[in-house]
Amino acid sequence: MNMQAGKFVLMTLLGSLLAVTAIERTEAQAVPAQPPEHAGNPNKPDDKNDNKDKDKDKEKDNKKNDDPKQQQEKQQEKQHQAELQKQQEKELAQKRAQEQKQLKQKRVSEQEQQAKIQKQQQQMDVYKRNIELREKLAEKNAQILRQQNRIEHLQFQQQYEERLRAQRAQLSQARYDYRNDPYYYTAPNYRYQRDGRYYQTNQYGMKKIERALQAGYNEGFRAGRADREDRWRYDYRSAFAYQDANYGYDGRYIDQDEYNHYFREGFQRGYEDGYYDRQKYGRKREKDDGNLIEGINDEWLIAGGVVAAIIGYQLLTD
């Protein structure tokens, strides 16, 4: 009798265990496992960039939902910013005119002039040798853009490459008279700061630095606008134009790495304005604009006050 009772208890426990196992299998089939976030999507931005994407999408949605009154207010704000920048540029131009009157046009020695000319010619030779490497980098970037289906940015890069080719063709055919260029015989009369160090140049070198900032801002605005239209994340560093940073460089007045530095400073600010469709650092060029900063087919102008703040120059009066 005791053996029959033991068998009964054993069968009862076995039946309970089978029932629990069956319930667990049923629950596992009813709730499938969730894949990890971002799995299988190498182009998915990280959390930091994802927040920027969300901000961008939110900005687009808000723009679509704006009523006519809000759109009008935004347009008026842009016009106000443009007028304010034009006034600041006019004041900066007046300041520059006064500085030109104070400049002491000292000449450097014949030996110093010849040394500057030789240095510039060497820089030009290095720039020409690097052209092939830049073209290979451009093609690599273009392939990545096609894979990412960034049509607008690909078109921007192709246009940038065309501008570079035209510039290189012009430089290869140019015959330049260095000895009669006033930059090479004019002594430094400006001091400016970069990366915690002070440098000196004359007014011609200063204009070249401004030119780099302007060219960079204009190209950056186009790149930022292209990424916004492609609904791509905020990423100015991956743009070939930012990496190249040579449009507008002719091998004269300043070193290539210095031109690259200021081009990228302008590019970053232009990209931000273009990406977010605003005029924080510059504005669209108008027909009646003067030539405060000389440009090459510039459509978007960096503000003169921004230029002065980046360079941080001082007039040498000694």
Side-chain angles (χ1 to χ4, degrees):
M1 189 68 179
N2 291 336
M3 291 181 62
Q4 291 180 351
K7 289 181 179 181
F8 177 78
V9 172
L10 182 60
M11 294 297 293
T12 302
L13 293 173
L14 182 59
S16 299
L17 180 60
L18 292 173
V20 171
T21 304
I23 291 172
E24 291 176 348
R25 287 179 178 177
T26 303
E27 289 177 348
Q29 292 174 355
V31 183
Q34 297 297 323
E37 187 177 3
H38 299 172
N41 188 0
N43 288 332
K44 184 70 175 180
D46 55 23
D47 292 340
K48 185 176 180 181
N49 287 329
D50 191 38
N51 291 333
K52 293 179 179 179
D53 286 343
K54 291 178 180 178
D55 293 340
K56 176 183 66 172
D57 294 338
K58 183 177 180 181
E59 183 179 351
K60 285 195 170 187
D61 293 338
N62 290 338
K63 189 173 182 180
K64 291 179 181 178
N65 296 329
D66 282 348
D67 57 31
K69 183 178 179 180
Q70 290 176 323
Q71 292 180 1
Q72 184 179 7
E73 289 176 352
K74 286 185 177 181
Q75 186 63 29
Q76 290 176 348
E77 177 62 22
K78 284 186 177 181
Q79 291 177 355
H80 174 71
Q81 290 292 335
E83 291 299 324
L84 181 61
Q85 290 180 10
K86 288 179 70 174
Q87 179 62 30
Q88 292 174 345
E89 290 166 3
K90 187 179 296 184
E91 293 173 357
L92 182 61
Q94 293 173 351
K95 179 184 176 182
R96 280 293 174 84
Q98 293 175 353
E99 291 175 352
Q100 293 297 320
K101 295 179 181 179
Q102 299 176 23
L103 288 177
K104 296 179 179 180
Q105 300 291 342
K106 297 180 180 179
R107 291 184 67 105
V108 298
S109 66
E110 179 72 19
Q111 185 177 3
E112 290 175 313
Q113 179 184 2
Q114 186 60 35
K116 291 173 71 174
I117 292 175
Q118 290 179 352
K119 181 181 178 181
Q120 295 287 272
Q121 290 173 333
Q122 292 171 357
Q123 290 174 356
M124 177 62 73
D125 292 338
V126 172
Y127 174 52
K128 290 178 179 179
R129 287 197 299 269
N130 288 336
I131 287 178
E132 184 177 353
L133 297 176
R134 300 284 183 175
E135 290 176 347
K136 291 180 179 179
L137 176 62
E139 180 56 32
K140 181 179 179 180
N141 279 34
Q143 291 176 359
I144 294 174
L145 291 173
R146 293 187 185 98
Q147 294 171 358
Q148 295 170 338
N149 198 31
R150 297 166 65 183
I151 306 302
E152 294 297 328
H153 196 107
L154 177 60
Q155 183 178 2
F156 158 73
Q157 178 174 315
Q158 291 171 340
Q159 293 171 348
Y160 179 83
E161 290 181 69
E162 290 177 2
R163 290 190 285 274
L164 274 183
R165 282 192 288 269
Q167 171 180 291
R168 291 164 184 164
Q170 184 178 6
L171 291 177
S172 64
Q173 299 173 1
R175 296 294 180 268
Y176 198 74
D177 187 2
Y178 286 94
R179 295 196 62 81
N180 289 323
D181 187 326
Y183 166 80
Y184 298 101
Y185 59 73
T186 302
N189 44 39
Y190 280 98
R191 185 178 77 162
Y192 62 98
Q193 189 175 14
R194 176 167 62 91
D195 297 332
R197 298 180 61 184
Y198 284 99
Y199 300 87
Q200 292 185 358
T201 187
N202 54 36
Q203 65 267 38
Y204 307 102
M206 186 61 61
K207 287 182 178 180
K208 186 66 67 174
I209 293 174
E210 293 176 345
R211 175 71 193 96
L213 284 166
Q214 174 54 49
Y217 179 85
N218 188 52
E219 299 299 332
F221 192 99
R222 295 176 180 177
R225 182 175 56 185
D227 278 349
R228 173 167 55 88
E229 293 175 354
D230 282 333
R231 298 182 66 83
W232 193 253
R233 62 178 176 267
Y234 183 98
D235 185 15
Y236 63 88
R237 292 182 182 274
S238 67
F240 169 72
Y242 177 85
Q243 298 170 8
D244 176 74
N246 280 304
Y247 180 61
Y249 181 70
D250 57 6
R252 292 188 283 271
Y253 296 7
I254 63 177
D255 295 344
Q256 184 176 0
D257 61 344
E258 186 171 26
Y259 185 94
N260 296 157
H261 169 82
Y262 286 108
F263 182 99
R264 293 180 180 124
E265 288 288 318
F267 188 97
Q268 178 181 351
R269 289 162 175 80
Y271 184 96
E272 184 176 327
D273 276 358
Y275 189 86
Y276 292 113
D277 190 24
R278 63 188 184 194
Q279 299 181 10
K280 180 179 180 180
Y281 300 107
R283 60 183 175 83
K284 187 175 179 63
R285 186 167 196 163
E286 300 175 3
K287 293 182 179 179
D288 60 345
D289 281 324
N291 293 321
L292 179 62
I293 301 177
E294 181 183 0
I296 304 176
N297 299 324
D298 295 320
E299 181 181 1
W300 303 94
L301 298 175
I302 189 171
V306 175
V307 171
I310 294 174
I311 301 175
Y313 68 87
Q314 296 176 341
L315 185 66
L316 299 176
T317 56
D318 295 339

